[in-house]
Amino acid sequence: MTAHEVQRQESHTPAVTTVFAEDDIPDHIVEMSEDEAALAALGYKQEFKREFSAWTTFAVSFAVMGLLPSIATTMWYGLGYAGPAANTWGWLLSVCFILCVAFSMAELASSMPTSGGLYYAAAVLAGPKYGPFAAWITGWSNWFVQVTAAPSVDYGCAAMILAAASIVNPDYIPTSYQTFLLTVFIMLTHACISSMPTLWIANFNSVGTTINLLCLLIVIIIIPSTAMGEPKFNSNSFAWGIQNSTDWPDGIAVLMSFLSIIWTMSGYDASFHISEECSNASIATPRSIVMTATSGSILGFVLNTLIAYTVRDVPAIVNSDLGQPFAAYVVQVLPQKIALAVLAMTIVCAYSMGQGCMVAASRVCFAYARDDCFGIFSRPLKRVNRYTLTPVNAVWFNTSIGIALLLLIFGGAAIDAIFSIGAIGAYIAFTTPIFLKIVFVGNKFRRGPWHLGAFSLPSGIAACSFVLVMMPILCFPSLRGKDLTLDQMNWTSLVYGTPMLCVVIWFFVDAHKWFKGPKINIEHHMLHHQLPAVEGVAVPSGSAGSAKDSDIERGSVAKETSI
């Protein structure tokens, strides 16, 4: 290779945080587009079509967040734990920290725009010694979140559909098996849509997000304009006051109500997971994360505040025979026909949200399988369908696991655990690479084109502190002492903790022997140095010149990664 060619390749190499060693770059990088070059510098070849724009990337992320259906589905834990205060100052307090998590994640996404996202970031930032274990924990925690997302959203969607049927026909009482079958049917339709070509999925989510936004705005207008009762709105003391329905002190009850807010505000990472299908990913992906989190915080506060100022009887909503608090709320405060219209819009939004969750989960599953996280199951899961150019096998694998999880419907309160997993598992995965960045990497972190500048460190500290406080709180049951029964137990520590314990044991017993973190799947070579030790490849004993032009497919390398 001539000096001129070396200079051209060096100048085209993107400034990304990568698993490649210093001065090690992919082959043919000059011939690649900017996005392909950035992904190649991260160690991966381009396998998807980049047909997501900045808007459609935001569309998927906002659809996964699904403000209206998320708030409706998790009303049990907001109003149900702390009353109207959870919707007003509780929301404001929690989203301040949640935005710190989102902004810190956006900084990572700009530096490492790959579908592996948080998992890839944890591997690189922890270094070669601890990187595989950090990636293993982050990856599995995030996958548990992803695989429970669609079932939990679709369960909420099914519950609202059956509640609407109960409103129309008061003699009808939904059964567990009807809820199960309807949820499974919704999941199967989402799996079919998520198996389509990328452009079709992008268009579907673009339309879905437009509907989501319109429905949200319409509901925000309908609630104050058509609310019944005299006076029409509650007093400030009621709307901002605590109605503690737990056995814990008021402060703990408010913190427990953050489950609703955290679960609602956890969809913005979807942009990270589809970054390999996005144009101008190092800019569009972090912007999408920030846009989703910021717009969600503002619009969510508006909707929650309206609910706090119009709700009449919180215990009646939580304990309603309809089995769905939001359905009980709209019936309580709106005329029946308008209540059904609002519920119908929420159902449409929930369907769109569930489909977005399915897409994001399949991309996460594919990215982890590409690096053999799933052991013997990795081979089929990392295949991209040659007709649709999407990870169809990953879609249906996640769907199968999700349907199995829905059997918790027959276990009473156990189904609530899939919502808690979505909160605690997500934010553990979100903040692990953030923690590694601020504690172990510090100023050596290689920023992408979008970054927080001087606010990077305080944002990361606030994000990690918030999650550290909330982890045990999210495992608290609402009742304690003699009032606590199996039906009222919080099963999060069991449903999330047991599989996490199993994967940790698996790592130390067996997986550490073959799992080395992100796997480079693109040909590359060293510009200036000899090749590092490579599994199955003999390092030339001669000069560096003979190694410069060697084209290999590298596995794990015994050299410090470039931060």
Side-chain angles (χ1 to χ4, degrees), residues 478-494:
S478 60
L479 304 177
R480 57 179 177 165
K482 63 180 181 180
D483 295 327
L484 181 59
T485 64
L486 287 177
D487 288 339
Q488 297 296 329
M489 185 63 189
N490 187 333
W491 295 98
T492 305
S493 55
L494 179 66

Side-chain angles (χ1 to χ4, degrees), residues 237-308:
S237 60
F238 181 93
W240 293 75
I242 298 174
Q243 291 187 27
N244 189 348
S245 300
T246 74
D247 285 349
W248 300 91
D250 287 353
I252 299 296
V254 172
L255 290 176
M256 290 175 65
S257 74
F258 286 3
L259 169 58
S260 171
I261 306 164
I262 292 173
W263 193 86
T264 298
M265 295 291 296
S266 62
Y268 48 80
D269 64 307
S271 298
F272 208 159
H273 302 310
I274 60 172
S275 57
E276 291 184 29
E277 298 167 80
C278 177
S279 300
N280 194 22
S282 60
I283 294 291
T285 299
R287 283 180 178 173
S288 174
I289 292 172
V290 171
M291 285 171 58
T292 304
T294 305
S295 61
S297 298
I298 296 170
L299 292 173
F301 175 70
V302 172
L303 178 58
N304 272 298
T305 301
L306 287 174
I307 293 172

Side-chain angles (χ1 to χ4, degrees), residues 202-218:
N203 290 336
F204 182 90
N205 280 283
S206 181
V207 172
T209 298
T210 302
I211 294 173
N212 245 304
L213 281 169
L214 288 175
C215 289
L216 178 60
L217 294 174
I218 291 170

